[in-house]
Amino acid sequence: MANTDSRVTIHMAASLDGFIARKDGRVDWLETADHFADGATLEPGFVDAFLATIDCYVMGSRTYETALRFEGQGLGWSYGDKPTFVLTTRDLPRTRDTVEFYSGDLARLVNGRLRPTFRSIWFVGGGAVSGECLRLGLADEVYYSILPILIGEGIAFFEKLDRDVALHLAGVKAYQNGVVELRYEVRQPLAKGS
Ligand SMILES: NC(=O)c1ccc[n+]([C@@H]2O[C@H](COP(=O)([O-])OP(=O)(O)OC[C@H]3O[C@@H](n4cnc5c(N)ncnc54)[C@H](OP(=O)(O)O)[C@@H]3O)[C@@H](O)[C@H]2O)c1
């Protein structure tokens, strides 16, 4: 039985033209030097308190490989000690006990395994997995952080969406570093004939 209190959130940062990484996977453009005087600042402790509300993470293998690369460069592991489910059909290195690999039906993982156990389930990319999550109707909300930059081409936020997904704008916040965070709730599709 699905935990009706559970919430599946997709969160990523993208360029204004809708890319989450360059074609070769680089995310060097995530660091920007903008300043928006009227923007909000992140109070110390806010980010940690917010991250504490997340119960588990889900990501695709290519996002995992980026996370491992960052860790190898001394930039740390962004997902703390939270259970992290990595989707892959490959045999990838596992550097910590909190990482679990999964291959197969994503709806089965989310509805059969994650929703009964976790309240706040965060999909953190990449584009392929976010697209799959929306296509299967598994997401409740989307957090979209738009960075003040255009990169021309790259990996799209949602790969291979084959239908419209109606959203409800539930929140907007602009920050001093020029990032605009949009929060959308996913509207359930209307029943046929209604
Ligand atoms: N800007 C941001 O906020 C942000 C966030 C996240 C990622 N990124 C960037 O986005 C890029 C990665 O995105 P991406 O769209 O290329 O890839 P991705 O979504 O991270 O990973 C896709 C891969 O996951 C595996 N997979 C997906 N669904 C599966 C399933 N149901 N069962 C088994 N395996 C499954 C497959 O890999 P296998 O071949 O292993 O089976 C698939 O090729 C990276 O460059 C990353 O740095 C940016």
Side-chain angles (χ1 to χ4, degrees), residues 17-129:
D17 43 355
F19 300 113
I20 58 162
R22 296 192 194 277
K23 269 185 164 174
D24 62 7
R26 279 180 301 134
V27 287
D28 51 299
W29 50 273
L30 284 176
E31 290 288 326
T32 65
D34 193 20
H35 181 74
F36 174 49
D38 290 342
T41 46
L42 285 173
E43 297 303 325
F46 173 82
V47 174
D48 287 346
F50 183 72
L51 293 177
T53 67
I54 298 172
D55 296 319
C56 75
Y57 294 98
V58 182
M59 68 180 71
S61 62
R62 292 198 284 263
T63 297
Y64 177 61
E65 287 172 308
T66 302
L68 289 186
R69 211 161 39 245
F70 280 170
E71 198 180 16
Q73 292 165 357
L75 298 172
W77 173 255
S78 304
Y79 312 100
D81 57 2
K82 300 294 170 72
T84 301
F85 296 85
V86 176
L87 303 171
T88 188
T89 55
R90 291 177 289 147
D91 197 8
L92 293 172
R94 181 167 173 260
T95 56
R96 50 185 22 85
D97 290 344
T98 49
V99 167
E100 185 175 321
F101 298 114
Y102 178 86
S103 175
D105 184 347
L106 188 58
R108 201 167 166 166
L109 173 71
V110 171
N111 294 330
R113 172 100 188 273
L114 304 185
R115 281 199 189 269
T117 313
F118 303 105
R119 203 161 171 272
S120 177
I121 301 159
W122 276 58
F123 274 67
V124 289
V129 165

Side-chain angles (χ1 to χ4, degrees), residues 189-194:
L190 291 175
K192 277 203 176 110
S194 62

Side-chain angles (χ1 to χ4, degrees), residues 153-182:
E153 59 179 8
I155 298 171
F157 199 129
F158 304 106
E159 292 281 351
K160 298 191 184 119
L161 259 188
D162 53 3
R163 63 178 173 89
D164 295 350
V165 177
L167 303 169
H168 163 63
L169 180 63
V172 180
K173 197 160 185 183
Y175 291 92
Q176 277 199 350
N177 62 2
V179 173
V180 178
E181 186 185 83
L182 303 171

